[in-house]
């Protein structure tokens, strides 16, 4: 991400592939592939060097919460130094501190504002973040607690390298949304993704993500439940504690997709964020082939006419030569950065236009609107124009996403917001601007990183976990007649996959998803009668046996995004 900031003319990359590069050699191989001449010769939706495998071998996992009794063991890290409990404002924190002190643990209460000062004073080895127990009056308040949790984790990041404890507590349904028993607080659910990533980046730290159904329980009762889990619960990372006393852990269960009927047809209008290029574009071509619907693709790239000098130049190198020659002939001076930006814009435009043409070629209709999906005013205006010309919107696909990979200790607020907002604020915009439309399909592009956490991707894991939980609530709110899916994709093959990158994934036991196969998987999910299976992970080898068996400890370093 630092190189993208310093050298903006670099080509855009497939974020799900780029996230997996762990050596400089792999990065160089991949970037060479991205700027190679054959890149622009690949038709949208078709992999250049991917081995096509049947979708059935790639894996499909649903999320379940299973009952599991505590094993009576204390959480490691409680006795390694001072544990700071953040004040949630309802009295839970103060009671919890009292219980822990009575159990012989050094514990201290701190507000969000005091936390950094307390940690800097020394001897702090752990934190119990109770921000997720706050009663949120607005979605903005719920979203804000994710940033607060991240800030706390970043402050703790250096001490955490030596062990200690990190616990997040969130008021949901006591089963991470799996029961659908009530409208939970999905917009604060990123705290679970934060814990999952912390568990990977801080392997010597004891990490827990607790989902506590507050129900009618008093603050003292909630504090007692938290203390009981920490003092005698056991080693599980994710633990749900329902109001009736039931304790649950999470399990990813393999389930094959069942064939069904496509709910979209030629009269439908589907709005797609991030649909002009890359993986989302490839899947929309396949969806257009099956439905014949009208697609409105929202993206950041501006569509502009190419300069005459670019005609006939088919790759990065030839475009740069042509544009540089034209600039010299006209007496203009152009910097390398400016030249790179021009080339990047031309290639992006070509990819978007190729996507639009491919959708039309398979029987759909398509148009592209350049707009920032997080700008609700601009998106609202664009969709009003769409309704006037095409009719009501009946489908939403949220595929936009960016990465800025850094470990928790190193990630800046700007990097966090750029990644987090594209997913979370983008979804808020799409839901708000289509609230009165007769939606048939709501499909969110999530990531396996939300389910497992991932090295350097705390913001991405948190944002996609929010997508997962919002999807569960939207399914409950809209009813079974609306298809709602949050698809946690494993890594895609993309257009160019170097031999070293293939070897890296193979060593991890991870299968790349070929574009053709992944596109078909999306269509199969939308058509499937398994409407109750909302939160899914798709991909081969992305969930280790230990994750399925233990209820989730996170993936090993270098796992897919």
């Amino acid at each position: 991400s630092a190189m993208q900031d310093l050298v903006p003319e670099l080509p855009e990359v497939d974020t799900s592939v780029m996230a997996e590069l762990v050596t400089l050699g792999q990065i160089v191989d991949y970037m060479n592939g991205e700027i190679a001449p054959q890149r622009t010769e690949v038709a949208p939706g078709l992999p250049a060097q991917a081995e096509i495998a049947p979708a059935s071998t790639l894996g499909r996992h649903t999320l379940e919460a299973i009952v599991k009794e505590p094993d009576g063991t204390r959480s490691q890290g409680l006795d390694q130094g001072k544990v700071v409990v953040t004040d949630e404002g309802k009295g839970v924190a103060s009671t919890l501190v009292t219980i822990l002190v009575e159990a012989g643990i050094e514990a201290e209460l701190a507000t969000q504002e005091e936390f950094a000062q307390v940690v800097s004073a020394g001897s702090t080895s752990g934190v119990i973040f109770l921000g997720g127990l706050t009663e949120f009056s607005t979605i903005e308040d719920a979203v804000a607690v994710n940033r607060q949790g991240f800030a706390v984790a970043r402050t703790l990041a250096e001490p955490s390298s030596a062990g200690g404890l990190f616990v997040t507590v969130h008021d949901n349904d006591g089963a991470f949304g799996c029961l659908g028993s009530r409208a939970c607080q999905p917009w604060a659910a990123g705290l679970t993704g934060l814990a999952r990533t912390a568990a990977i980046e801080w392997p010597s730290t004891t990490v827990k993500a607790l989902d506590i159904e507050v129900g009618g329980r008093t603050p003292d009762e909630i504090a007692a439940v938290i203390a009981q889990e920490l003092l005698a619960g056991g080693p599980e990372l994710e633990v749900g504690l329902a109001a009736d006393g039931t304790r649950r852990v999470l399990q990813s269960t393999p389930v094959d997709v069942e064939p069904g009927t496509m709910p979209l047809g030629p009269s439908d209008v589907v709005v797609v964020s991030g649909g002009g290029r890359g993986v989302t574009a490839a899947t929309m071509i396949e969806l257009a082939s099956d439905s014949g619907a009208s697609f409105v693709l929202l993206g950041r790239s501006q569509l502009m006419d190419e300069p005459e000098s670019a005609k006939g130049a088919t790759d990065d190198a030839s475009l740069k030569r042509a544009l540089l020659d034209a600039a010299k002939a006209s007496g203009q001076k152009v910097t390398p950065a400016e030249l790179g930006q021009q080339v990047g814009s031309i290639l992006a435009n070509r990819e978007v236009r190729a996507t639009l043409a491919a959708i039309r070629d398979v029987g759909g209709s398509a148009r592209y609107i350049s707009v920032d999906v997080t700008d609700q005013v601009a998106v609202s205006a664009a969709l009003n124009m769409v309704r006037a010309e095409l009719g009501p919107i009946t489908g939403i696909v949220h595929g936009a996403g960016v990465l800025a990979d850094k470990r928790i200790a190193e990630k800046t607020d700007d990097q966090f917001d750029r990644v987090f907002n594209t997913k979370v604020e983008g979804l808020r915009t799409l839901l708000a601007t289509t609230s009165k439309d007769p939606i048939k399909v709501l499909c969110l592009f999530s990531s396996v990183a939300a389910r497992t956490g991932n090295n350097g991707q705390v913001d991405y894991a948190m944002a996609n976990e929010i997508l997962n939980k919002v999807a569960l609530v939207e399914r409950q709110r809209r009813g079974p007649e609306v298809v709602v899916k949050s698809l946690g994709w494993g890594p895609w093959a993309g257009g160019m996959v170097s031999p070293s990158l293939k070897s890296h994934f193979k060593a991890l036991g991870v299968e790349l998803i070929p574009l053709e196969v992944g596109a078909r998987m999306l269509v199969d999910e939308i058509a499937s009668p398994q409407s109750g299976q909302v939160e899914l992970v798709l991909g081969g080898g992305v969930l280790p046996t230990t994750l399925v068996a233990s209820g989730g400890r996170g993936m090993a370093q270098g796992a897919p995004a």
Side-chain angles (χ1 to χ4, degrees):
S1 71
M3 285 300 296
Q4 287 179 324
D5 292 337
L6 292 171
V7 192
E9 64 267 23
L10 286 174
E12 290 195 19
V13 297
D14 184 337
T15 54
S16 63
V17 173
M18 195 69 173
E20 295 315 305
L21 308 180
V22 295
T23 71
L24 186 57
Q26 290 169 351
I27 293 171
V28 171
D29 287 346
Y30 179 70
M31 292 306 297
N32 280 337
E34 289 300 292
I35 63 177
Q38 56 265 44
R39 174 172 169 77
T40 57
E41 298 170 7
V42 180
L46 297 177
Q49 297 181 358
E51 296 178 3
I52 302 300
S56 60
T57 69
L58 287 172
R60 176 183 185 272
H61 291 80
T62 62
L63 186 67
E64 296 180 352
I66 60 173
V67 176
K68 186 175 184 180
E69 296 299 319
D71 69 2
T73 59
R74 176 180 290 204
S75 294
Q76 296 180 8
L78 277 173
D79 304 312
Q80 295 182 5
K82 180 171 60 182
V83 175
V84 179
V85 181
T86 65
D87 191 354
E88 91 301 347
K90 296 193 296 184
V92 175
S94 57
T95 301
L96 179 57
V97 168
T98 300
I99 297 173
L100 293 177
V101 170
E102 291 174 351
I105 297 164
E106 184 183 0
E108 180 178 340
L109 180 68
T111 65
Q112 180 78 21
E113 293 73 23
E114 297 168 339
F115 180 77
Q117 182 178 357
V118 171
V119 172
S120 65
S123 75
T124 298
S125 66
V127 62
I128 302 171
F129 181 72
L130 300 183
L133 294 179
T134 304
E135 292 184 2
F136 306 116
S137 57
T138 65
I139 291 178
E140 286 80 6
D141 292 341
V143 170
V145 82
N146 296 284
R147 291 186 174 86
Q148 294 168 11
F150 164 69
V152 165
R154 185 173 56 188
T155 301
L156 186 70
E158 291 307 321
S160 72
S161 62
L165 178 78
F166 181 66
V167 180
T168 64
V169 185
H170 176 214
D171 173 16
N172 204 328
D173 62 353
F176 297 90
C178 289
L179 300 183
S181 56
R182 69 179 182 88
C184 63
Q185 302 185 69
W187 298 100
L191 295 176
T192 305
L194 169 62
R196 288 165 175 160
T197 299
I200 294 172
E201 294 191 11
W202 309 338
S204 61
T205 300
T206 298
V207 179
K208 274 186 175 288
L210 303 183
D211 172 13
I212 294 183
E213 182 185 16
V214 171
R217 291 184 285 187
T218 66
D220 288 353
E221 289 171 332
I222 293 297
V225 169
I226 296 172
Q228 178 64 23
E229 177 60 34
L230 296 177
L231 295 171
E236 290 87 6
L237 168 61
E238 305 144 332
V239 179
L241 302 166
D244 63 3
T246 304
R247 180 181 185 272
R248 292 180 173 88
V249 297
L250 293 179
Q251 175 174 286
S252 293
T253 304
V255 180
D256 290 337
V257 67
E258 297 176 4
T261 303
M262 171 56 60
L264 299 173
S267 63
D268 287 297
V269 179
V270 182
V271 171
V272 188
S273 72
R277 306 169 59 195
V279 165
T280 310
T283 59
M284 291 305 100
I285 295 168
E286 187 73 12
L287 184 58
S289 178
D290 267 49
S291 67
S294 296
F295 290 80
V296 179
L297 311 181
L298 309 180
R300 293 172 296 169
S301 300
Q302 293 279 352
L303 282 186
M304 298 175 290
D305 292 333
E306 290 186 12
E308 283 298 321
S309 57
K311 302 296 173 61
T314 60
D315 58 80
D316 183 273
S318 61
L319 277 168
K320 284 181 178 177
R321 284 194 300 269
L323 294 174
L324 185 58
D325 290 344
K328 289 181 178 178
S330 61
Q332 296 179 336
K333 292 184 177 180
V334 59
T335 67
E338 291 170 340
L339 190 63
Q341 289 172 348
Q342 291 178 43
V343 170
S345 177
I346 290 170
L347 292 176
N349 272 240
R350 288 178 180 180
E351 191 172 352
V352 171
R353 295 183 194 281
T355 298
L356 295 173
I359 288 176
R360 294 167 186 145
D361 287 345
V362 297
S365 68
R367 66 179 59 192
Y368 179 84
I369 300 176
S370 178
V371 67
D372 181 351
V373 73
T374 67
D375 185 339
Q376 186 168 322
V377 173
V379 172
S380 179
L383 296 190
N384 283 338
M385 177 183 66
V386 169
R387 293 185 190 96
E389 297 179 12
L390 300 177
I393 295 161
T394 55
I396 302 170
V397 178
H398 184 30
V402 298
L403 290 178
D405 288 6
K406 292 282 186 180
R407 289 177 178 268
I408 292 170
E410 303 164 345
K411 193 178 292 284
T412 67
D413 289 340
D414 286 344
Q415 289 167 340
F416 182 94
D417 287 343
R418 187 168 64 206
V419 175
F420 187 84
N421 288 347
T422 300
K423 285 289 185 184
V424 176
E425 297 304 321
L427 176 59
R428 288 186 63 192
T429 293
L430 291 173
L431 293 178
T433 56
T434 60
S435 60
K436 297 181 180 180
D437 286 291
I439 300 299
K440 297 180 181 179
V441 172
L442 172 61
C443 182
L444 311 180
F445 274 44
S446 180
S447 166
V448 67
R451 175 68 185 96
T452 64
N454 199 24
N455 218 358
Q457 292 188 340
V458 63
D459 38 18
Y460 199 62
M462 292 174 71
N464 282 300
E465 180 66 1
I466 291 173
L467 262 59
N468 291 341
K469 302 315 172 188
V470 169
L472 292 171
V473 172
E474 288 295 316
R475 166 56 165 71
Q476 181 184 1
R477 184 177 72 86
R478 295 174 188 265
E481 64 276 8
V482 178
V483 176
V484 180
K485 297 285 181 179
S486 187
L487 306 180
W489 296 106
W492 290 70
M496 299 294 295
V497 181
S498 69
S500 62
L501 185 55
K502 282 187 177 181
S503 298
H504 170 63
F505 281 119
K506 185 176 181 180
L508 289 173
V510 174
E511 292 182 66
L512 298 176
I513 303 173
L515 287 178
E516 287 181 338
V517 175
R520 192 66 236 170
M521 292 171 78
L522 174 128
V523 172
D524 289 346
E525 285 299 334
I526 291 177
S528 169
Q530 298 155 299
S531 59
Q533 296 175 3
V534 176
E535 182 180 344
L536 299 162
V537 171
L538 303 174
V542 293
L543 293 176
T545 303
T546 53
L547 176 68
V548 178
S550 70
R553 177 59 187 170
M555 299 188 72
Q557 181 174 340

